[in-house]
Amino acid sequence: MTRALKTQWHNLAFSGLILHEILDHPREDETPQARLKEIGMMTILYTMTQAHQKLTLSNIIEITELTRSGAKETVDLLVRRGMLTETMVKNSMGRGTARQFEISEELLKKLISFTSS
């Protein structure tokens, strides 16, 4: 299989996986609108990860053009779901701290098992 087809297959598998994880496992405190935002955000975050961009709130806001509170709200929902992990790192100025996110290992393991079947 060519590299381009493999990448496309991997992207489709990730999309299917996040649709399944979010829509088939609704949380009581989420609205349907919140779930759609989570799906969109995970798609953007996966694309950012593939492009080797750091998943910080500042980078997410720059790409999505959401307000800080809008981006934070959706990202926090994904952290609570366990789809993202959060760590504190030095900010880009090197003086303070910033929240940095990664797609969770558990979700990536599910993706690997999903694509190898």
Side-chain angles (χ1 to χ4, degrees), residues 6-23:
K6 191 172 185 174
T7 300
Q8 186 175 14
W9 169 245
H10 203 264
N11 291 341
L12 287 170
F14 184 80
S15 295
L17 177 62
I18 61 169
L19 281 170
H20 167 72
E21 290 294 317
I22 293 171
L23 295 180

Side-chain angles (χ1 to χ4, degrees), residues 1-86:
M1 185 180 307
T2 67
R3 184 171 175 86
L5 285 176
K6 191 172 185 174
T7 300
Q8 186 175 14
W9 169 245
H10 203 264
N11 291 341
L12 287 170
F14 184 80
S15 295
L17 177 62
I18 61 169
L19 281 170
H20 167 72
E21 290 294 317
I22 293 171
L23 295 180
D24 290 352
H25 303 101
R27 295 175 51 100
E28 286 186 25
D29 59 341
E30 290 174 330
T31 64
Q33 180 181 0
R35 287 191 288 278
L36 287 175
K37 285 181 181 179
E38 291 172 35
I39 292 166
M41 183 64 77
M42 281 303 294
T43 302
I44 291 166
L45 298 179
Y46 182 71
T47 303
M48 288 174 69
T49 300
Q50 296 299 95
H52 306 287
Q53 293 178 310
K54 290 184 180 180
L55 304 183
T56 62
L57 276 178
S58 295
N59 287 349
I60 294 167
I61 291 164
E62 183 180 332
I63 288 173
T64 62
E65 298 183 7
L66 289 169
T67 63
R68 188 167 199 80
S69 62
K72 180 184 175 308
E73 178 183 325
T74 304
V75 168
D76 286 346
L77 288 171
L78 293 167
V79 170
R80 282 202 315 252
R81 266 187 179 280
M83 297 181 88
L84 294 178
T85 57
E86 175 184 4

